[in-house]
């Protein structure tokens, strides 16, 4: 009984978390388009239903495929962000070499990047 309840709570929280990630991504890429959100919600409900009626090996095989595709997308994103990350890390290393005890990200040193200045204000 304990394992069943623990598994149910784990599955429920995982679905909610992944749904949140998907909806946040859709909001970022497509804006507040209610039709896109409706299609996404229907797809989530269909996948939850499908997963509940399939055998476990099929569900795990599908999860493996989708996680592999997610890894490919993330690796492409990391490759595209590599140069920017290297620049920021070099700035951090420069501050350490100058003897700064607590290096701080200064957005004014990167005027070419699309940085939200409200989140990362320039140091004065």
């Amino acid at each position: 009984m304990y394992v069943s309840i623990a598994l149910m709570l784990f599955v429920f929280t995982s679905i909610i978390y992944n749904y949140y990630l998907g909806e946040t991504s859709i909001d970022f890429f497509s804006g507040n388009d209610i039709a896109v959100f409706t299609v996404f919600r229907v797809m989530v409900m269909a996948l939850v239903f499908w997963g509940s009626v399939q055998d476990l090996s099929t569900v795990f095989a599908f999860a493996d495929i989708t996680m592999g595709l997610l890894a490919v997308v993330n690796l492409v994103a990391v490759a595209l962000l590599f140069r920017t990350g290297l620049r920021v890390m070099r700035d951090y290393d420069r501050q350490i070499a100058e003897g700064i005890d607590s290096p701080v990200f200064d957005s004014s040193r990167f005027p070419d990047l699309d940085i939200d200045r409200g989140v990362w204000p320039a140091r004065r």
Side-chain angles (χ1 to χ4, degrees):
M1 186 71 162
Y2 172 76
V3 173
S4 297
I5 291 172
L7 187 59
M8 182 193 67
L9 290 174
F10 173 72
V11 168
F12 178 73
T13 56
S14 295
I15 290 170
I16 296 297
Y17 175 67
N18 285 302
Y19 173 80
Y20 166 76
L21 291 178
E23 194 169 275
T24 304
S25 298
I26 289 171
D27 185 44
F28 178 79
F29 286 113
S30 70
N32 198 3
D33 187 2
I34 200 71
V36 175
F37 283 117
T38 303
V39 169
F40 176 68
R41 290 173 183 149
V42 168
M43 287 176 56
V44 168
M45 293 301 291
L47 282 171
V48 168
F49 176 76
W50 176 81
S52 68
V53 297
Q54 289 297 315
D55 63 296
L56 194 57
S57 62
T58 303
V59 173
F60 273 114
F62 181 73
D64 289 343
I65 291 169
T66 56
M67 289 298 139
L69 292 173
L70 181 63
V72 169
V73 170
N74 285 332
L75 288 172
V76 169
V78 167
L80 293 173
L81 291 171
F82 180 75
R83 292 181 68 200
T84 302
L86 201 58
R87 283 179 56 202
V88 172
M89 287 186 342
R90 285 184 182 143
D91 181 57
Y92 175 86
D93 290 339
R94 178 194 56 79
Q95 291 180 48
I96 293 291
E98 290 176 357
I100 298 173
D101 290 333
S102 292
V104 176
F105 179 74
D106 184 3
S107 62
S108 66
R109 296 187 56 81
F110 304 96
D112 58 317
L113 298 180
D114 184 23
I115 297 174
D116 184 356
R117 306 291 181 202
V119 176
W120 299 100
R123 283 179 48 189
R124 290 189 171 89

